[in-house]
Amino acid sequence: MEIVTTVTELREKIKNWKREEERIGFVPTMGYLHEGHLSLVREAKKRSAKTVVSIFVNPKQFGPAEDYQIYPRDFKRDADLLEKEGVDLIFCPSVEEMYPAGYKTYVQVEDLENKLCGHSRPGHFRGVCTVVLKLFNLIQPDEAYFGWKDAQQVIILKKMVGDLNLPVKIRPMPLIREKDGLALSSRNIYLNSQERQAALVLYRSLELAEKQIKDGEKQAAKIKQSMIDLISAEPLARIDYVEIVDVQTLDSLEKIDGDALIALAVYFGRTRLIDNLRFISGVIEK
Ligand code: AMP
């Protein structure tokens, strides 16, 4: 497994693979890897001759009051995990390598970036799109793997790839959870034991929504309110949003009579967790 930190060296490696017409699968991450990340890596390995994983805590996608400085990092552990998975190359640039002094260019997917997480994280998706486009340009993957854990991110990146005619296929992968239902996230490390326990209310609220949908409830407002009531009954939870939206436009739905995304963001102490359930072609994926 190669570990590459510079654009020049990365371009050289990619050029050689392209010359050999090797299919490249790419998994962008911010590191501190868990089974969610590794599920993407395994799928990439299955489908491509060469697998690249990037590890880069991207400052452009963090707001000024967010956790960029304290975001968990453990490169040695990550590299060991990726070596075991048989990854071909890790790209782990410095901030200066990605954004040299005088950097000015950004990518925005209008409208979609302002919905859901966009309210409380202005500029977040601009940062995500910018770094992902840069990484796509450098790595030139045939396929890139993203988790449904970050549903809005998947939807926005698909739009970006379509709008900009990028020659890469976005492959969204299922959300991986702990046995008790908590969605795996690098940020779960921030939770103390009471918050960790309280955070189970997120999965319970999605299960409640699932039950109502299965029982034939179509009114989004009713489902949403029952989720809000359940989450609000947990003293350690502070709701950022609970929304039921169209999976393409992210606009609020009044009725669930086709595909829908039920997404939420909730604070436990200073930690903001997100989770979601998708109702696609009559099937619930959570
Ligand atoms: P991050 O390191 O948080 O930027 O995540 C890197 C990639 O892993 C993104 O595509 C995430 O959606 C994905 N990911 C994170 N957590 C999970 C999870 N629990 N299940 C599936 N994919 C995940």
Side-chain angles (χ1 to χ4, degrees), residues 27-40 54 56 61 71 145-151 153-154 157 173-178 182-187:
V27 182
T29 82
M30 297 203 300
Y32 211 70
L33 304 178
H34 51 63
E35 279 297 312
H37 298 111
L38 297 181
S39 70
L40 309 182
S54 62
F56 180 60
Q61 69 189 66
Y71 194 84
Y145 297 80
F146 294 88
W148 272 121
K149 159 82 191 331
D150 299 276
Q153 174 170 282
V154 165
L157 291 175
M173 302 301 298
L175 197 165
I176 307 294
R177 299 178 178 282
E178 301 276 10
L182 182 68
L184 289 180
S185 163
S186 306
R187 289 190 167 96

mmCIF file of all heavy atoms in Angstrom, residues 27-40 54 56 61 71 145-151 153-154 157 173-178 182-187, ligand 1:
data_model
loop_
_atom_site.group_PDB
_atom_site.id
_atom_site.type_symbol
_atom_site.label_atom_id
_atom_site.label_comp_id
_atom_site.label_asym_id
_atom_site.label_seq_id
_atom_site.Cartn_x
_atom_site.Cartn_y
_atom_site.Cartn_z
ATOM 1 N N VAL A 27 -12.638 6.121 -2.337
ATOM 2 C CA VAL A 27 -13.419 6.352 -1.118
ATOM 3 C C VAL A 27 -12.841 7.574 -0.388
ATOM 4 O O VAL A 27 -11.782 7.469 0.238
ATOM 5 C CB VAL A 27 -13.377 5.122 -0.180
ATOM 6 C CG1 VAL A 27 -14.237 5.376 1.060
ATOM 7 C CG2 VAL A 27 -13.816 3.856 -0.901
ATOM 8 N N PRO A 28 -13.532 8.718 -0.464
ATOM 9 C CA PRO A 28 -13.066 9.887 0.294
ATOM 10 C C PRO A 28 -13.490 9.795 1.754
ATOM 11 O O PRO A 28 -14.655 9.459 2.034
ATOM 12 C CB PRO A 28 -13.779 11.083 -0.372
ATOM 13 C CG PRO A 28 -14.605 10.521 -1.481
ATOM 14 C CD PRO A 28 -14.702 9.044 -1.302
ATOM 15 N N THR A 29 -12.573 10.086 2.668
ATOM 16 C CA THR A 29 -12.909 10.069 4.098
ATOM 17 C C THR A 29 -12.167 11.190 4.826
ATOM 18 O O THR A 29 -11.228 11.765 4.296
ATOM 19 C CB THR A 29 -12.502 8.739 4.804
ATOM 20 O OG1 THR A 29 -11.106 8.804 5.149
ATOM 21 C CG2 THR A 29 -12.758 7.519 3.942
ATOM 22 N N MET A 30 -12.612 11.412 6.066
ATOM 23 C CA MET A 30 -11.865 12.310 6.947
ATOM 24 C C MET A 30 -11.113 11.496 8.007
ATOM 25 O O MET A 30 -10.657 12.043 9.008
ATOM 26 C CB MET A 30 -12.811 13.315 7.612
ATOM 27 C CG MET A 30 -13.486 14.228 6.583
ATOM 28 S SD MET A 30 -14.056 15.776 7.261
ATOM 29 C CE MET A 30 -15.208 15.214 8.493
ATOM 30 N N GLY A 31 -10.985 10.194 7.781
ATOM 31 C CA GLY A 31 -10.203 9.361 8.689
ATOM 32 C C GLY A 31 -10.957 8.991 9.953
ATOM 33 O O GLY A 31 -12.167 9.156 10.051
ATOM 34 N N TYR A 32 -10.194 8.489 10.942
ATOM 35 C CA TYR A 32 -10.742 7.920 12.174
ATOM 36 C C TYR A 32 -11.785 6.862 11.781
ATOM 37 O O TYR A 32 -12.958 6.930 12.135
ATOM 38 C CB TYR A 32 -11.333 8.999 13.090
ATOM 39 C CG TYR A 32 -11.201 8.619 14.537
ATOM 40 C CD1 TYR A 32 -9.944 8.602 15.147
ATOM 41 C CD2 TYR A 32 -12.292 8.218 15.292
ATOM 42 C CE1 TYR A 32 -9.794 8.213 16.463
ATOM 43 C CE2 TYR A 32 -12.151 7.825 16.612
ATOM 44 C CZ TYR A 32 -10.905 7.823 17.191
ATOM 45 O OH TYR A 32 -10.753 7.426 18.497
ATOM 46 N N LEU A 33 -11.279 5.910 11.039
ATOM 47 C CA LEU A 33 -12.146 4.987 10.300
ATOM 48 C C LEU A 33 -12.897 4.005 11.198
ATOM 49 O O LEU A 33 -12.403 3.589 12.238
ATOM 50 C CB LEU A 33 -11.291 4.204 9.295
ATOM 51 C CG LEU A 33 -10.495 5.084 8.315
ATOM 52 C CD1 LEU A 33 -9.634 4.208 7.396
ATOM 53 C CD2 LEU A 33 -11.409 5.982 7.498
ATOM 54 N N HIS A 34 -14.085 3.660 10.747
ATOM 55 C CA HIS A 34 -14.902 2.654 11.422
ATOM 56 C C HIS A 34 -15.512 1.735 10.354
ATOM 57 O O HIS A 34 -15.233 1.909 9.159
ATOM 58 C CB HIS A 34 -15.972 3.319 12.287
ATOM 59 C CG HIS A 34 -16.786 4.364 11.564
ATOM 60 N ND1 HIS A 34 -17.593 4.062 10.489
ATOM 61 C CD2 HIS A 34 -16.896 5.709 11.743
ATOM 62 C CE1 HIS A 34 -18.189 5.151 10.057
ATOM 63 N NE2 HIS A 34 -17.776 6.174 10.791
ATOM 64 N N GLU A 35 -16.348 0.816 10.796
ATOM 65 C CA GLU A 35 -16.918 -0.173 9.860
ATOM 66 C C GLU A 35 -17.741 0.471 8.731
ATOM 67 O O GLU A 35 -17.888 -0.124 7.670
ATOM 68 C CB GLU A 35 -17.789 -1.169 10.625
ATOM 69 C CG GLU A 35 -17.001 -2.273 11.312
ATOM 70 C CD GLU A 35 -16.240 -3.180 10.335
ATOM 71 O OE1 GLU A 35 -16.842 -3.639 9.353
ATOM 72 O OE2 GLU A 35 -15.045 -3.407 10.571
ATOM 73 N N GLY A 36 -18.310 1.646 8.979
ATOM 74 C CA GLY A 36 -19.035 2.344 7.905
ATOM 75 C C GLY A 36 -18.100 2.665 6.754
ATOM 76 O O GLY A 36 -18.379 2.363 5.593
ATOM 77 N N HIS A 37 -16.951 3.271 7.097
ATOM 78 C CA HIS A 37 -15.953 3.577 6.063
ATOM 79 C C HIS A 37 -15.479 2.284 5.385
ATOM 80 O O HIS A 37 -15.353 2.220 4.161
ATOM 81 C CB HIS A 37 -14.720 4.237 6.676
ATOM 82 C CG HIS A 37 -14.970 5.558 7.349
ATOM 83 N ND1 HIS A 37 -14.881 5.719 8.711
ATOM 84 C CD2 HIS A 37 -15.290 6.775 6.847
ATOM 85 C CE1 HIS A 37 -15.113 6.989 9.023
ATOM 86 N NE2 HIS A 37 -15.379 7.653 7.913
ATOM 87 N N LEU A 38 -15.212 1.270 6.218
ATOM 88 C CA LEU A 38 -14.620 0.043 5.655
ATOM 89 C C LEU A 38 -15.602 -0.676 4.738
ATOM 90 O O LEU A 38 -15.188 -1.352 3.788
ATOM 91 C CB LEU A 38 -14.135 -0.879 6.785
ATOM 92 C CG LEU A 38 -13.014 -0.268 7.657
ATOM 93 C CD1 LEU A 38 -12.581 -1.253 8.742
ATOM 94 C CD2 LEU A 38 -11.804 0.161 6.822
ATOM 95 N N SER A 39 -16.909 -0.501 4.989
ATOM 96 C CA SER A 39 -17.887 -1.122 4.082
ATOM 97 C C SER A 39 -17.767 -0.504 2.684
ATOM 98 O O SER A 39 -17.928 -1.190 1.674
ATOM 99 C CB SER A 39 -19.315 -0.963 4.630
ATOM 100 O OG SER A 39 -19.738 0.385 4.550
ATOM 101 N N LEU A 40 -17.455 0.782 2.625
ATOM 102 C CA LEU A 40 -17.273 1.435 1.324
ATOM 103 C C LEU A 40 -15.991 0.926 0.659
ATOM 104 O O LEU A 40 -15.953 0.667 -0.550
ATOM 105 C CB LEU A 40 -17.163 2.963 1.478
ATOM 106 C CG LEU A 40 -18.233 3.714 2.278
ATOM 107 C CD1 LEU A 40 -17.950 5.220 2.255
ATOM 108 C CD2 LEU A 40 -19.615 3.466 1.724
ATOM 109 N N SER A 54 -8.887 8.487 0.397
ATOM 110 C CA SER A 54 -8.272 9.739 0.861
ATOM 111 C C SER A 54 -8.621 9.933 2.325
ATOM 112 O O SER A 54 -9.713 9.573 2.778
ATOM 113 C CB SER A 54 -8.740 10.938 0.032
ATOM 114 O OG SER A 54 -10.130 11.123 0.163
ATOM 115 N N PHE A 56 -8.494 13.124 4.737
ATOM 116 C CA PHE A 56 -8.237 14.567 4.768
ATOM 117 C C PHE A 56 -9.347 15.235 5.563
ATOM 118 O O PHE A 56 -10.513 15.190 5.159
ATOM 119 C CB PHE A 56 -8.193 15.115 3.331
ATOM 120 C CG PHE A 56 -7.925 16.597 3.262
ATOM 121 C CD1 PHE A 56 -6.750 17.138 3.777
ATOM 122 C CD2 PHE A 56 -8.855 17.455 2.682
ATOM 123 C CE1 PHE A 56 -6.509 18.511 3.718
ATOM 124 C CE2 PHE A 56 -8.622 18.826 2.612
ATOM 125 C CZ PHE A 56 -7.442 19.355 3.133
ATOM 126 N N GLN A 61 -15.029 22.558 5.101
ATOM 127 C CA GLN A 61 -16.404 22.117 5.337
ATOM 128 C C GLN A 61 -16.820 22.255 6.805
ATOM 129 O O GLN A 61 -17.899 21.813 7.179
ATOM 130 C CB GLN A 61 -16.617 20.691 4.830
ATOM 131 C CG GLN A 61 -15.911 19.600 5.607
ATOM 132 C CD GLN A 61 -16.011 18.264 4.910
ATOM 133 O OE1 GLN A 61 -15.462 18.066 3.829
ATOM 134 N NE2 GLN A 61 -16.738 17.320 5.508
ATOM 135 N N TYR A 71 -11.449 17.430 15.789
ATOM 136 C CA TYR A 71 -11.946 16.256 15.054
ATOM 137 C C TYR A 71 -10.948 15.104 15.261
ATOM 138 O O TYR A 71 -9.734 15.305 15.152
ATOM 139 C CB TYR A 71 -12.099 16.583 13.566
ATOM 140 C CG TYR A 71 -12.907 15.535 12.832
ATOM 141 C CD1 TYR A 71 -14.295 15.579 12.819
ATOM 142 C CD2 TYR A 71 -12.269 14.467 12.201
ATOM 143 C CE1 TYR A 71 -15.040 14.597 12.181
ATOM 144 C CE2 TYR A 71 -13.004 13.483 11.559
ATOM 145 C CZ TYR A 71 -14.383 13.562 11.556
ATOM 146 O OH TYR A 71 -15.112 12.576 10.930
ATOM 147 N N TYR A 145 -17.346 6.027 -3.839
ATOM 148 C CA TYR A 145 -18.262 5.395 -2.882
ATOM 149 C C TYR A 145 -18.541 6.331 -1.719
ATOM 150 O O TYR A 145 -17.616 6.886 -1.113
ATOM 151 C CB TYR A 145 -17.627 4.080 -2.373
ATOM 152 C CG TYR A 145 -17.449 3.098 -3.509
ATOM 153 C CD1 TYR A 145 -16.367 3.208 -4.376
ATOM 154 C CD2 TYR A 145 -18.393 2.115 -3.750
ATOM 155 C CE1 TYR A 145 -16.219 2.345 -5.453
ATOM 156 C CE2 TYR A 145 -18.259 1.245 -4.819
ATOM 157 C CZ TYR A 145 -17.181 1.364 -5.669
ATOM 158 O OH TYR A 145 -17.046 0.523 -6.732
ATOM 159 N N PHE A 146 -19.830 6.503 -1.435
ATOM 160 C CA PHE A 146 -20.266 7.386 -0.345
ATOM 161 C C PHE A 146 -21.339 6.657 0.446
ATOM 162 O O PHE A 146 -22.079 5.840 -0.103
ATOM 163 C CB PHE A 146 -20.849 8.690 -0.904
ATOM 164 C CG PHE A 146 -19.818 9.546 -1.605
ATOM 165 C CD1 PHE A 146 -19.544 9.360 -2.961
ATOM 166 C CD2 PHE A 146 -19.108 10.517 -0.903
ATOM 167 C CE1 PHE A 146 -18.578 10.128 -3.603
ATOM 168 C CE2 PHE A 146 -18.149 11.294 -1.547
ATOM 169 C CZ PHE A 146 -17.880 11.106 -2.900
ATOM 170 N N GLY A 147 -21.441 6.992 1.743
ATOM 171 C CA GLY A 147 -22.437 6.328 2.588
ATOM 172 C C GLY A 147 -23.747 7.096 2.633
ATOM 173 O O GLY A 147 -23.750 8.326 2.672
ATOM 174 N N TRP A 148 -24.855 6.348 2.679
ATOM 175 C CA TRP A 148 -26.171 6.977 2.861
ATOM 176 C C TRP A 148 -26.293 7.622 4.236
ATOM 177 O O TRP A 148 -27.221 8.355 4.505
ATOM 178 C CB TRP A 148 -27.301 5.964 2.658
ATOM 179 C CG TRP A 148 -27.750 5.849 1.237
ATOM 180 C CD1 TRP A 148 -27.743 4.719 0.472
ATOM 181 C CD2 TRP A 148 -28.305 6.892 0.406
ATOM 182 N NE1 TRP A 148 -28.236 5.005 -0.780
ATOM 183 C CE2 TRP A 148 -28.592 6.324 -0.843
ATOM 184 C CE3 TRP A 148 -28.565 8.255 0.604
ATOM 185 C CZ2 TRP A 148 -29.135 7.053 -1.893
ATOM 186 C CZ3 TRP A 148 -29.097 8.988 -0.443
ATOM 187 C CH2 TRP A 148 -29.384 8.390 -1.674
ATOM 188 N N LYS A 149 -25.335 7.318 5.132
ATOM 189 C CA LYS A 149 -25.304 8.009 6.427
ATOM 190 C C LYS A 149 -25.442 9.521 6.202
ATOM 191 O O LYS A 149 -26.128 10.216 6.933
ATOM 192 C CB LYS A 149 -23.986 7.674 7.132
ATOM 193 C CG LYS A 149 -23.549 8.633 8.208
ATOM 194 C CD LYS A 149 -24.242 8.316 9.480
ATOM 195 C CE LYS A 149 -24.080 9.359 10.566
ATOM 196 N NZ LYS A 149 -22.876 10.134 10.561
ATOM 197 N N ASP A 150 -24.726 10.011 5.174
ATOM 198 C CA ASP A 150 -24.768 11.435 4.835
ATOM 199 C C ASP A 150 -25.630 11.599 3.586
ATOM 200 O O ASP A 150 -25.125 11.846 2.484
ATOM 201 C CB ASP A 150 -23.351 11.947 4.609
ATOM 202 C CG ASP A 150 -22.498 11.794 5.859
ATOM 203 O OD1 ASP A 150 -22.560 12.669 6.722
ATOM 204 O OD2 ASP A 150 -21.821 10.753 5.993
ATOM 205 N N ALA A 151 -26.947 11.438 3.757
ATOM 206 C CA ALA A 151 -27.854 11.370 2.609
ATOM 207 C C ALA A 151 -27.833 12.667 1.791
ATOM 208 O O ALA A 151 -27.785 12.622 0.554
ATOM 209 C CB ALA A 151 -29.268 11.080 3.096
ATOM 210 N N GLN A 153 -25.455 14.750 1.486
ATOM 211 C CA GLN A 153 -24.174 14.791 0.768
ATOM 212 C C GLN A 153 -24.239 13.958 -0.515
ATOM 213 O O GLN A 153 -23.796 14.403 -1.580
ATOM 214 C CB GLN A 153 -23.075 14.268 1.697
ATOM 215 C CG GLN A 153 -21.723 14.100 1.069
ATOM 216 C CD GLN A 153 -20.657 13.814 2.114
ATOM 217 O OE1 GLN A 153 -20.189 14.703 2.802
ATOM 218 N NE2 GLN A 153 -20.266 12.558 2.254
ATOM 219 N N VAL A 154 -24.810 12.757 -0.414
ATOM 220 C CA VAL A 154 -24.944 11.894 -1.588
ATOM 221 C C VAL A 154 -25.773 12.596 -2.672
ATOM 222 O O VAL A 154 -25.397 12.635 -3.847
ATOM 223 C CB VAL A 154 -25.614 10.544 -1.212
ATOM 224 C CG1 VAL A 154 -26.086 9.793 -2.451
ATOM 225 C CG2 VAL A 154 -24.667 9.683 -0.393
ATOM 226 N N LEU A 157 -23.841 15.579 -4.171
ATOM 227 C CA LEU A 157 -22.700 15.181 -5.018
ATOM 228 C C LEU A 157 -23.176 14.562 -6.328
ATOM 229 O O LEU A 157 -22.566 14.771 -7.381
ATOM 230 C CB LEU A 157 -21.771 14.228 -4.263
ATOM 231 C CG LEU A 157 -20.992 14.878 -3.110
ATOM 232 C CD1 LEU A 157 -20.187 13.828 -2.350
ATOM 233 C CD2 LEU A 157 -20.062 15.992 -3.612
ATOM 234 N N MET A 173 -23.770 3.777 -0.622
ATOM 235 C CA MET A 173 -23.788 2.488 0.079
ATOM 236 C C MET A 173 -24.606 2.587 1.372
ATOM 237 O O MET A 173 -24.745 3.664 1.937
ATOM 238 C CB MET A 173 -22.352 2.070 0.423
ATOM 239 C CG MET A 173 -21.426 1.960 -0.779
ATOM 240 S SD MET A 173 -22.014 0.782 -1.997
ATOM 241 C CE MET A 173 -21.976 -0.713 -1.032
ATOM 242 N N PRO A 174 -25.133 1.424 1.844
ATOM 243 C CA PRO A 174 -26.012 1.436 3.027
ATOM 244 C C PRO A 174 -25.353 2.027 4.281
ATOM 245 O O PRO A 174 -24.135 1.954 4.438
ATOM 246 C CB PRO A 174 -26.309 -0.051 3.256
ATOM 247 C CG PRO A 174 -26.029 -0.719 1.965
ATOM 248 C CD PRO A 174 -24.973 0.078 1.269
ATOM 249 N N LEU A 175 -26.213 2.568 5.124
ATOM 250 C CA LEU A 175 -25.788 3.124 6.415
ATOM 251 C C LEU A 175 -25.474 1.978 7.376
ATOM 252 O O LEU A 175 -26.306 1.092 7.566
ATOM 253 C CB LEU A 175 -26.945 3.982 6.935
ATOM 254 C CG LEU A 175 -26.721 4.993 8.029
ATOM 255 C CD1 LEU A 175 -27.906 5.944 8.103
ATOM 256 C CD2 LEU A 175 -26.451 4.381 9.360
ATOM 257 N N ILE A 176 -24.304 1.997 7.967
ATOM 258 C CA ILE A 176 -23.915 0.934 8.905
ATOM 259 C C ILE A 176 -24.132 1.416 10.343
ATOM 260 O O ILE A 176 -23.744 2.540 10.695
ATOM 261 C CB ILE A 176 -22.424 0.536 8.713
ATOM 262 C CG1 ILE A 176 -22.138 0.190 7.238
ATOM 263 C CG2 ILE A 176 -22.037 -0.616 9.634
ATOM 264 C CD1 ILE A 176 -22.825 -1.040 6.714
ATOM 265 N N ARG A 177 -24.742 0.540 11.160
ATOM 266 C CA ARG A 177 -25.092 0.905 12.546
ATOM 267 C C ARG A 177 -24.404 -0.010 13.555
ATOM 268 O O ARG A 177 -24.009 -1.131 13.231
ATOM 269 C CB ARG A 177 -26.616 0.754 12.751
ATOM 270 C CG ARG A 177 -27.416 1.639 11.862
ATOM 271 C CD ARG A 177 -28.925 1.440 12.045
ATOM 272 N NE ARG A 177 -29.610 2.377 11.178
ATOM 273 C CZ ARG A 177 -29.778 3.669 11.435
ATOM 274 N NH1 ARG A 177 -29.347 4.152 12.584
ATOM 275 N NH2 ARG A 177 -30.364 4.467 10.580
ATOM 276 N N GLU A 178 -24.306 0.489 14.788
ATOM 277 C CA GLU A 178 -23.940 -0.383 15.907
ATOM 278 C C GLU A 178 -25.092 -1.373 16.102
ATOM 279 O O GLU A 178 -26.211 -1.129 15.620
ATOM 280 C CB GLU A 178 -23.794 0.437 17.202
ATOM 281 C CG GLU A 178 -22.757 1.534 17.151
ATOM 282 C CD GLU A 178 -21.343 1.051 17.441
ATOM 283 O OE1 GLU A 178 -21.137 -0.188 17.508
ATOM 284 O OE2 GLU A 178 -20.463 1.906 17.568
ATOM 285 N N LEU A 182 -27.382 2.713 16.856
ATOM 286 C CA LEU A 182 -26.712 4.013 16.659
ATOM 287 C C LEU A 182 -25.905 3.984 15.356
ATOM 288 O O LEU A 182 -25.120 3.057 15.128
ATOM 289 C CB LEU A 182 -25.779 4.318 17.843
ATOM 290 C CG LEU A 182 -25.074 5.672 17.761
ATOM 291 C CD1 LEU A 182 -26.065 6.823 17.920
ATOM 292 C CD2 LEU A 182 -23.966 5.776 18.818
ATOM 293 N N ALA A 183 -26.104 4.983 14.507
ATOM 294 C CA ALA A 183 -25.347 5.052 13.259
ATOM 295 C C ALA A 183 -23.872 5.260 13.577
ATOM 296 O O ALA A 183 -23.521 6.117 14.404
ATOM 297 C CB ALA A 183 -25.872 6.206 12.410
ATOM 298 N N LEU A 184 -22.996 4.489 12.946
ATOM 299 C CA LEU A 184 -21.559 4.671 13.171
ATOM 300 C C LEU A 184 -21.148 6.045 12.670
ATOM 301 O O LEU A 184 -21.557 6.475 11.598
ATOM 302 C CB LEU A 184 -20.759 3.593 12.436
ATOM 303 C CG LEU A 184 -20.841 2.180 12.998
ATOM 304 C CD1 LEU A 184 -19.999 1.236 12.144
ATOM 305 C CD2 LEU A 184 -20.350 2.145 14.429
ATOM 306 N N SER A 185 -20.333 6.715 13.473
ATOM 307 C CA SER A 185 -19.816 8.029 13.093
ATOM 308 C C SER A 185 -18.525 8.269 13.855
ATOM 309 O O SER A 185 -18.406 7.874 15.022
ATOM 310 C CB SER A 185 -20.832 9.111 13.477
ATOM 311 O OG SER A 185 -20.208 10.377 13.485
ATOM 312 N N SER A 186 -17.571 8.917 13.196
ATOM 313 C CA SER A 186 -16.315 9.251 13.894
ATOM 314 C C SER A 186 -16.606 10.144 15.086
ATOM 315 O O SER A 186 -15.859 10.175 16.062
ATOM 316 C CB SER A 186 -15.359 9.968 12.937
ATOM 317 O OG SER A 186 -15.175 9.202 11.775
ATOM 318 N N ARG A 187 -17.700 10.903 15.023
ATOM 319 C CA ARG A 187 -18.037 11.844 16.101
ATOM 320 C C ARG A 187 -18.652 11.153 17.316
ATOM 321 O O ARG A 187 -18.787 11.792 18.356
ATOM 322 C CB ARG A 187 -18.998 12.924 15.589
ATOM 323 C CG ARG A 187 -18.330 13.915 14.648
ATOM 324 C CD ARG A 187 -19.225 15.099 14.336
ATOM 325 N NE ARG A 187 -18.515 16.179 13.696
ATOM 326 C CZ ARG A 187 -18.466 16.394 12.371
ATOM 327 N NH1 ARG A 187 -19.116 15.584 11.549
ATOM 328 N NH2 ARG A 187 -17.768 17.404 11.880
HETATM 329 P P1 AMP B 1 -16.435 10.940 6.823
HETATM 330 O O1 AMP B 1 -15.094 10.398 7.188
HETATM 331 O O2 AMP B 1 -17.351 11.129 7.991
HETATM 332 O O3 AMP B 1 -16.358 12.146 5.912
HETATM 333 O O4 AMP B 1 -17.148 9.821 5.946
HETATM 334 C C1 AMP B 1 -16.547 9.315 4.794
HETATM 335 C C2 AMP B 1 -17.547 8.466 4.060
HETATM 336 O O5 AMP B 1 -17.978 7.397 4.895
HETATM 337 C C3 AMP B 1 -18.806 9.250 3.670
HETATM 338 O O6 AMP B 1 -19.219 8.847 2.378
HETATM 339 C C4 AMP B 1 -19.784 8.831 4.722
HETATM 340 O O7 AMP B 1 -21.135 8.913 4.302
HETATM 341 C C5 AMP B 1 -19.382 7.385 4.935
HETATM 342 N N1 AMP B 1 -19.868 6.935 6.238
HETATM 343 C C6 AMP B 1 -19.689 7.506 7.442
HETATM 344 N N2 AMP B 1 -20.367 6.840 8.400
HETATM 345 C C7 AMP B 1 -21.011 5.826 7.775
HETATM 346 C C8 AMP B 1 -21.892 4.798 8.207
HETATM 347 N N3 AMP B 1 -22.253 4.673 9.481
HETATM 348 N N4 AMP B 1 -22.369 3.940 7.277
HETATM 349 C C9 AMP B 1 -22.025 4.059 5.978
HETATM 350 N N5 AMP B 1 -21.199 5.009 5.504
HETATM 351 C C10 AMP B 1 -20.697 5.882 6.383
#
